[in-house]
Amino acid sequence: MTQIYNFSAGPAVLPKEVLQQAASEMLDWHGCGMSVMEMSHRGPEFISIYRQAEADLRELLAVPANYKILFLQGGGLGENAVVPLNLVGRVSQPATIDFVHSGSWSGKSIEEAKRYANVNVAASGAPAPFTAVPAEETWQLTPGAAYLHLCTNETIDGVEYNFVPTVQGDTPIVADMSSHILSRVIDVSQYGVIFAGAQKNIGPAGLTLVIVREDLLDHALPICPSSFNWRNVADADSMFNTPPTYAIYIAGLVFAHLKKRGGVAAMEAINIEKARLLYAALDADGFYENRVALANRSRMNVPFYLRDESKNEAFLAGAKARGLLQLKGHKSVGGMRASIYNAMPIEGVQALVDYLNEFAGR
Ligand SMILES: *Cc1c(COP(=O)(O)O)cnc(C)c1O
């Protein structure tokens, strides 16, 4: 097989060892004669897969005992509706939700939430291009808000939080961590809800993780679909309806793989080094440009531009010829983007850096 490096923002690269294990178990999981895809979600085989995945994720993120881990569907965008449907009811109506608009994904969250509550944009980096997290001292938070929503890593804009804000009163923080969960050590207890679509840094598309503090399970609006009501899902151990079983299995293999590599702290150290290498090459002279404030440069998604955009096509063609794939930037911002998730080895980043230097004629 040709060696390639896949810089896609999502669905994205997975650890080769995980794919090899999944391939070897495809037809016959642990001698049971069935593929994981063919198992009942209520049978002992799948229950054991699910329990192990849940326990490993809990260990990797040190999820406190008073938090539930839910394995849902609907993606990050689905959660933009599921979160208000579950949390708007925790305050008297009409409720207000606070948002910080730090990029494309928090922007989408704001638009969706308007269907369910008043929305207060407490701070905004708009208009695009988004290049920094608005300074915390400028945030205009609402006392008694149903919750404060943040996108802690803006996948399209490459803007990542380097702090956890302080909130007044008991307003919970809801964090969309779709594109950087498990890439750095976090303190789960600082959040009320963490959610993440799996297809960036965890596993296949179709699985959405929700980590939710127990006291936030019981506020769903009557119109909330039963299968998205967190209380129902939590009480049924994510089996209220059929969960995305194969995606949970692959996510479980990824969690076990991360544990073997030393856990999240070990991954963070490698991710810091990968990002350092890549940004150094982009900053070396004026040939390339990343426009994000230094403190908010994402370690996972690195958008960049060639100063001479007429060279874009040649750049992408040369990259492809070297097996450096999916580097084209998101259509809304143009340019290039290298996503360097946990599963991107440092050798892949080095190969990209070598190409950046070569293309720039250094
Ligand atoms: C990809 C992404 C989403 C959307 O995920 P879908 O699974 O496509 O709904 C939401 N938020 C962030 C931060 C993302 O990176």
Side-chain angles (χ1 to χ4, degrees):
M1 223 166 77
T2 34
Q3 171 67 59
I4 63 99
Y5 292 109
N6 174 6
F7 295 93
S8 169
V13 57
L14 284 168
K16 190 161 278 169
E17 296 86 339
V18 164
L19 295 177
Q20 280 163 342
Q21 184 175 346
S24 75
E25 296 176 344
M26 174 61 76
L27 298 179
D28 180 5
W29 184 81
H30 294 202
C32 77
M34 289 180 282
S35 171
V36 174
M37 266 183 258
E38 303 172 301
M39 291 174 184
S40 164
H41 58 298
R42 305 197 187 279
E45 295 89 356
F46 185 75
I47 297 282
S48 74
I49 290 170
Y50 161 80
R51 290 231 171 96
Q52 191 65 49
E54 205 262 353
D56 285 347
L57 179 61
R58 197 171 276 280
E59 182 183 329
L60 283 166
L61 288 177
V63 178
N66 64 325
Y67 283 71
K68 294 286 189 194
I69 297 176
L70 311 180
F71 293 83
L72 283 166
Q73 306 189 52
L77 285 188
E79 282 308 306
N80 284 344
V82 172
V83 171
L85 282 164
N86 276 279
L87 290 186
V88 158
R90 65 171 289 281
V91 296
S92 54
Q93 306 299 304
T96 296
I97 309 170
D98 281 344
F99 283 84
V100 174
H101 191 184
S102 53
S104 310
W105 289 114
S106 50
K108 291 200 179 203
S109 304
I110 288 167
E111 288 313 308
E112 188 74 14
K114 286 178 182 168
R115 303 160 58 126
Y116 304 101
N118 297 322
V119 162
N120 170 50
V121 179
S124 177
F130 292 87
T131 53
V133 177
E136 191 182 356
E137 44 303 351
T138 67
W139 296 12
Q140 305 280 324
L141 298 175
T142 309
Y147 59 92
L148 166 64
H149 177 116
L150 314 173
C151 177
T152 47
N153 185 61
E154 290 279 3
T155 319
I156 291 173
D157 313 276
V159 173
E160 184 169 14
Y161 276 66
N162 60 340
F163 64 95
V164 182
T166 316
V167 269
Q168 303 293 318
D170 62 353
T171 303
I173 299 176
V174 173
D176 176 357
M177 295 195 183
S178 292
S179 51
H180 74 160
I181 193 165
L182 293 165
S183 73
R184 58 193 299 150
V185 175
I186 55 165
D187 175 359
V188 173
S189 72
Q190 292 178 294
Y191 303 89
V193 178
I194 293 168
F195 70 84
Q199 72 272 24
K200 312 288 168 62
N201 208 21
I202 298 174
L207 167 66
T208 312
L209 282 182
V210 176
I211 303 172
V212 50
R213 210 173 60 214
E214 274 170 353
D215 62 287
L216 300 175
L217 291 170
D218 293 309
H219 306 290
L221 296 175
I223 58 163
C224 179
S226 309
S227 58
F228 286 112
N229 180 319
W230 291 337
R231 167 53 72 189
N232 292 343
V233 179
D235 283 354
D237 285 333
S238 297
M239 312 271 174
F240 182 81
N241 66 329
T242 314
T245 52
Y246 197 77
I248 292 172
Y249 158 70
I250 299 287
L253 295 183
V254 171
F255 300 153
H257 175 75
L258 291 177
K259 274 175 60 179
K260 218 166 61 188
R261 293 190 66 186
V264 175
M267 294 315 300
E268 179 169 12
I270 300 169
N271 288 331
I272 288 171
E273 181 57 15
K274 280 154 53 183
R276 192 194 62 74
L277 273 174
L278 181 49
Y279 284 110
L282 294 174
D283 290 342
D285 49 36
F287 196 87
Y288 305 101
E289 183 189 19
N290 169 280
R291 299 169 182 165
V292 179
L294 289 185
N296 297 134
R297 282 178 160 187
S298 172
R299 292 176 189 161
M300 293 285 102
N301 309 99
V302 183
F304 63 94
Y305 297 88
L306 276 63
R307 281 275 161 84
D308 177 359
E309 296 228 290
S310 72
K311 295 196 168 79
N312 281 359
E313 288 312 314
F315 177 85
L316 287 168
K320 193 167 178 208
R322 284 160 183 76
L324 308 172
L325 305 184
Q326 310 210 60
L327 282 164
K328 192 170 179 163
H330 191 271
K331 59 186 184 310
S332 65
V333 294
M336 309 295 157
R337 173 173 52 171
S339 294
I340 50 174
Y341 297 121
N342 281 345
M344 172 59 64
I346 198 158
E347 293 78 17
V349 175
Q350 190 58 57
L352 175 58
V353 164
D354 292 345
Y355 176 59
L356 288 167
N357 287 332
E358 182 193 319
F359 191 81
R362 289 176 199 148

